[in-house]
Amino acid sequence: MTLPTMDEGIMIFRNVQEFPPQGCFRIARAQSGNRWYYLKGLRPEVVDDFDHLSLLQQEFDLLTRLNHPGIPTLMTIQETSPIGPCLVLDMFEGMALPRFLAQGKRRADRRTVGEGVISALAYLHNHDMYHGDLRPENICVSQIGYHPWILNFAIDDNDAYTQYASRRATDEFTPPELQASPRLAADARCDIYAFGQLLKKLHLGWRYNGIIKKCTRKDPDRRFQSADEVSKAMTQGTLGRHATQIIILMIALIAALLVIILTWRTALPARNAINF
């Protein structure tokens, strides 16, 4: 199978640093020229398999149509690299979401991650695409500003992916419908279920409990039906939080004013009684 390319140049890599494999994929970072790149290839046992090679080609076809700050930029795809045939993505310096969460970041920083992820999902859904395997390990967070990227899109119309998905262990990020039928094609509501579970991990406060509950309902028809709906609910929750803060501030100011008035009245000298 001959993989497509975005240009005629072949990139030469050095300083290759390979990460633990993810499913059937090999993942590495490597340098070419003065820049670093993210390489996504196949494990040796499937690298010559047509169906698995087509996974790379289909992800290539998907990524060439996407342009969003929450989705890594595809540079090229080439047949030869230190890890074999691979996608080459612009390097994003960051950390996996589990590591980010383990560092005890502020709620505002965790909220930035949640808002960034739902923005990227909304972009995908508006282009009739779905992630299909959203979980903390597939989210990378920048070191500065805590901007998230979503990685490792599932290509569910490929035999190799279908076999992989049917063997993959289920967890709390797997929606009930996929647990019951692993070969079922993922849709927007599967991503929304996984995002609701992700919100639990972010611990954004009680105001998000309603959003989490609706995202993670067992019946897909009772969940939010698009990431845009979730994003809107999160925005309204933010506005509600600000309104609550304003109300609390007003109550505090009124209470302080009452204390001042009572103190002033207590401090007034007693009037002399008038005798007739």
Side-chain angles (χ1 to χ4, degrees):
M1 177 179 182
T2 301
L3 296 174
T5 58
M6 295 183 70
D7 54 49
E8 296 300 325
I10 300 298
M11 302 178 71
I12 306 300
F13 296 103
R14 65 182 190 279
N15 299 329
V16 180
Q17 302 169 10
E18 190 161 354
F19 302 113
Q22 298 180 5
C24 60
F25 296 109
R26 292 177 72 181
I27 308 296
R29 70 192 295 263
Q31 195 172 7
S32 181
N34 295 323
R35 297 186 62 182
W36 286 88
Y37 298 92
Y38 178 88
L39 309 182
K40 181 176 181 179
L42 294 169
R43 298 179 70 167
E45 58 267 31
V46 297
V47 72
D48 294 321
D49 179 73
F50 178 87
D51 283 336
H52 284 85
L53 282 169
S54 68
L55 283 177
L56 289 180
Q57 181 171 340
Q58 289 183 59
E59 188 163 351
F60 167 85
D61 293 338
L62 185 154
L63 287 172
T64 55
R65 292 181 281 158
L66 302 180
N67 181 20
H68 186 275
I71 299 171
T73 301
L74 176 67
M75 305 304 295
T76 188
I77 185 172
Q78 60 185 53
E79 293 193 63
T80 58
S81 82
I83 64 170
C86 71
L87 300 174
V88 182
L89 304 169
D90 197 16
M91 187 62 199
F92 34 87
E93 290 293 343
M95 54 187 145
L97 183 58
R99 179 183 165 198
F100 169 86
L101 294 175
Q103 293 182 355
K105 301 296 185 182
R106 298 180 308 153
R107 180 180 296 180
D109 298 330
R110 301 194 304 273
R111 187 167 60 245
T112 295
V113 172
E115 291 171 349
V117 171
I118 199 62
S119 173
L121 283 180
Y123 177 85
L124 283 178
H125 294 175
N126 289 333
H127 286 75
D128 296 320
M129 301 176 190
Y130 316 109
H131 188 281
D133 195 24
L134 188 69
R135 61 189 63 246
E137 293 77 11
N138 285 336
I139 297 171
C140 183
V141 182
S142 66
Q143 301 281 2
I144 300 175
Y146 307 122
H147 172 82
W149 296 276
I150 56 176
L151 315 173
N152 299 327
F153 298 90
I155 309 298
D156 60 15
D157 59 351
N158 178 275
D159 289 341
Y161 173 74
T162 301
Q163 295 172 16
Y164 160 70
S166 65
R167 295 192 304 265
R168 184 180 57 205
T170 59
D171 58 20
E172 72 248 56
F173 298 94
T174 308
E177 60 270 28
L178 291 186
Q179 293 189 33
S181 302
R183 292 178 178 268
L184 184 71
D187 62 16
R189 298 171 302 179
C190 295
D191 286 346
I192 288 167
Y193 181 92
F195 180 75
Q197 297 289 11
L198 182 68
L199 280 181
K200 291 183 183 179
K201 302 290 186 182
L202 293 176
H203 297 293
L204 298 181
W206 63 268
R207 292 177 183 85
Y208 289 82
N209 288 346
I211 297 173
I212 292 171
K213 183 177 180 180
K214 188 169 182 178
C215 283
T216 57
R217 284 175 175 163
K218 185 175 181 179
D219 182 356
D221 292 334
R222 298 186 62 212
R223 298 176 199 153
F224 292 104
Q225 298 299 293
S226 73
D228 277 331
E229 291 183 15
V230 182
S231 180
K232 182 178 180 181
M234 290 178 65
T235 300
Q236 291 173 340
T238 301
L239 293 176
R241 180 176 63 256
H242 292 165
T244 301
Q245 291 173 344
I246 292 173
I247 292 172
I248 292 173
L249 179 61
M250 291 178 64
I251 292 174
L253 289 174
I254 292 172
L257 183 60
L258 288 174
V259 170
I260 292 172
I261 293 173
L262 290 174
T263 302
W264 174 72
R265 288 177 62 87
T266 302
L268 288 176
R271 296 184 178 179
N272 294 327
I274 300 176
N275 295 319
F276 294 93

